[in-house]
Amino acid sequence: MLKNLRIVLWTLVAVAAIGATGLYAYTTMMRPAQAASLGDGDYQLRTAAGEPFTRASLNGSPSMVFFGFTHCPEVCPTSLAEMTAWYETLGDEAKDLKAYFITVDPERDTEAVVGDYVAWTNHVTGVTGDVAEIEKATKAWAVYAEKVPLEGGDYTMDHTASVFLLNDQGEFEGTIAYREDSATAVAKLKKLIEG
């Protein structure tokens, strides 16, 4: 009786181990494919200069992509300042590196507004679009963005604060977190640029 119970228990352990191994292998194999397709979608946005901006716009050069909004009190101006500092640190190494600021607040961030907002950086391209197209883009990038009402009828936006990194094939390579150590961020960008 005890021997049969042991056999049953060891069989259950073996089944659990095989299941866990299979699940691990499946998730490991699927993760790169899901990450590579991050941002894929049929959204049709516009740069501040009025040029079309789609997922294909990210092909041909390594890129940084940040989602924010021009009324942002802290995260967005800080992130733009950090991106500008990274360009200054990298110098000529960053000559082919592109950077995009895609608004999550298209109701207020027109082409002119988003263009003025990023103009001082001399590197970052402002991107906006219709509300429905921005929603499609944030969904494609798995970006969190939610309107938060304020007193007096105004509102702010909660949103993802990471900088997405894409190689010259337009493939997702990783992120730089908000307020990440500058040396670490520059090292990630050097690796991205070198391919």
Side-chain angles (χ1 to χ4, degrees):
M1 179 81 171
L2 188 58
K3 182 178 178 183
N4 287 341
L5 180 60
R6 281 189 188 152
I7 291 172
V8 169
L9 289 174
W10 278 113
T11 301
L12 290 174
V13 168
V15 168
I18 291 169
T21 302
L23 180 61
Y24 174 78
Y26 174 78
T27 56
T28 301
M29 288 187 303
M30 293 304 293
R31 193 176 307 136
Q34 290 172 339
S37 65
L38 187 66
D40 285 356
D42 64 350
Y43 47 88
Q44 305 289 320
L45 308 179
R46 299 180 306 278
T47 68
E51 298 170 347
F53 181 91
T54 67
R55 185 64 170 82
S57 303
L58 300 168
N59 297 338
S61 297
S63 306
M64 295 187 282
V65 176
F66 180 80
F67 288 81
F69 67 114
T70 65
H71 285 67
C72 183
E74 181 182 343
V75 172
C76 300
T78 300
S79 295
L80 286 175
E82 289 179 334
M83 292 165 81
T84 302
W86 300 334
Y87 270 106
E88 291 172 358
T89 300
L90 289 165
D92 286 345
E93 288 181 80
K95 67 181 185 304
D96 295 326
L97 179 65
K98 309 280 187 193
Y100 300 94
F101 177 94
I102 302 176
T103 185
V104 294
D105 184 15
E107 293 174 43
R108 295 187 292 199
D109 293 344
T110 63
E111 293 171 17
V113 170
V114 78
D116 285 346
Y117 188 69
V118 301
W120 66 273
T121 68
N122 294 320
H123 295 287
V124 181
T125 298
V127 178
T128 188
D130 298 337
V131 172
E133 296 299 314
I134 290 291
E135 287 177 355
K136 289 194 315 192
T138 55
K139 184 176 180 182
W141 285 92
V143 165
Y144 168 74
E146 183 171 327
K147 188 181 287 188
V148 179
L150 298 174
E151 289 183 17
D154 202 0
Y155 66 91
T156 188
M157 300 292 296
D158 277 348
H159 62 92
T160 299
S162 295
V163 176
F164 294 89
L165 304 177
L166 295 101
N167 63 27
D168 59 5
Q169 305 296 309
E171 297 168 336
F172 175 73
E173 290 283 345
T175 61
I176 297 175
Y178 177 59
R179 304 301 299 263
E180 187 161 326
D181 174 72
S182 182
T184 303
V186 168
K188 287 181 177 180
L189 291 170
K190 283 187 175 183
K191 183 179 176 187
L192 182 73
I193 293 167
E194 292 167 359

